[in-house]
Amino acid sequence: MADPTNHNQAGEVAPSTVDKQAPSVAEEHAPSTDSPEATDLPTANTPDPKTANPEDNPNAAKPAAAATGEKPAAAAKAAKKEKAPSVEDKPFVEFIEQDYLPALQKAIAQQGVQDLEVSFAKQKVPITGFESAEECWQIIGSWSEKGRRQFNVYFPEEDIQGKKGFSCNEGKKPSTLESFLIDERKITLDLLVFGLVQRLDGQKWLGRN
């Protein structure tokens, strides 16, 4: 006979293996009840603030120029705008030949001197006592007016901002070397022209003198 202990009581059904495992399986795959964690990943409702249109998203990143309040066009214009170099910044010889000599000839001609001859050369100082001195750049100007009038402007340092000298004569060898424009802090083209015209006028060589 079969063991009566192996039979369930009447009306009772033994639970199956599936029913025993169901609770644990359901718990394993059930949604978590923990609080959701915030992330910085963009979603459909919260787009990336770095790439979103500023007009649509107030939190979107703004360009650097807008953040500083500076207009892009104005910033670009300021960067490109540079001060143009002045004629006085040219190399010494280039400045004398291209700018000073033409301006000087024009200014002296306006004072009534029509036959002015101007040259620019590096040579000895034609003054007694300077025979042993080194050659230096000189502007030599001369014209016929009650004899032969000649002036020399000396640049021993080859620099318009450096030391300068002046001498003049009427048909004779000059005997005195004067300082020229020594009190001016900054020498400009206009000042070089004005200073020499003024010195020649003081010699009574210009105009009605």
Side-chain angles (χ1 to χ4, degrees):
M1 292 181 63
D3 188 352
T5 61
N6 294 331
H7 295 277
N8 293 326
Q9 295 181 1
E12 293 183 359
V13 179
S16 66
T17 304
V18 175
D19 292 338
K20 292 179 180 181
Q21 296 177 350
S24 60
V25 173
E27 290 178 1
E28 180 180 353
H29 295 280
S32 174
T33 58
D34 296 337
S35 301
E37 296 182 1
T39 67
D40 56 358
L41 296 177
T43 65
N45 294 329
T46 58
D48 187 352
K50 296 180 180 180
T51 59
N53 189 333
E55 297 181 358
D56 299 331
N57 182 10
N59 296 323
K62 296 181 180 180
T68 58
E70 184 177 7
K71 295 182 179 180
K77 184 177 180 180
K80 292 182 179 180
K81 187 177 180 181
E82 296 180 358
K83 185 178 180 180
S86 62
V87 295
E88 292 83 2
D89 294 329
K90 290 182 178 181
F92 172 72
V93 174
E94 184 177 323
F95 166 77
I96 296 295
E97 294 179 341
Q98 296 181 0
D99 301 283
Y100 187 40
L101 292 184
L104 185 60
Q105 286 181 307
K106 181 179 179 180
I108 295 178
Q110 290 176 343
Q111 298 296 321
V113 178
Q114 302 300 326
D115 59 342
L116 174 67
E117 297 177 3
V118 181
S119 60
F120 179 54
K122 191 172 187 179
Q123 60 186 27
K124 289 282 188 176
V125 177
I127 299 176
T128 302
F130 288 86
E131 292 84 2
S132 61
E134 296 181 357
E135 293 183 344
C136 72
W137 284 104
Q138 304 173 38
I139 293 175
I140 306 101
S142 62
W143 70 96
S144 298
E145 182 72 27
K146 299 178 182 179
R148 192 69 178 175
R149 290 176 171 176
Q150 178 176 316
F151 66 85
N152 292 56
V153 179
Y154 306 93
F155 296 90
E157 298 181 359
E158 300 184 16
D159 182 359
I160 64 173
Q161 305 298 336
K163 295 179 180 179
K164 294 170 285 294
F166 172 86
S167 68
C168 61
N169 66 88
E170 292 185 79
K172 298 180 180 180
K173 190 175 182 179
S175 59
T176 303
L177 177 62
E178 306 174 14
S179 296
F180 181 61
L181 295 177
I182 62 173
D183 296 328
E184 306 298 334
R185 298 183 63 181
K186 182 175 178 59
I187 300 299
T188 63
L189 173 61
D190 291 341
L191 185 57
L192 278 172
V193 173
F194 174 77
L196 184 53
V197 170
Q198 188 179 47
R199 179 62 185 84
L200 295 176
D201 188 58
Q203 195 69 26
K204 300 186 183 301
W205 280 9
L206 300 178
R208 297 179 181 179
N209 296 322

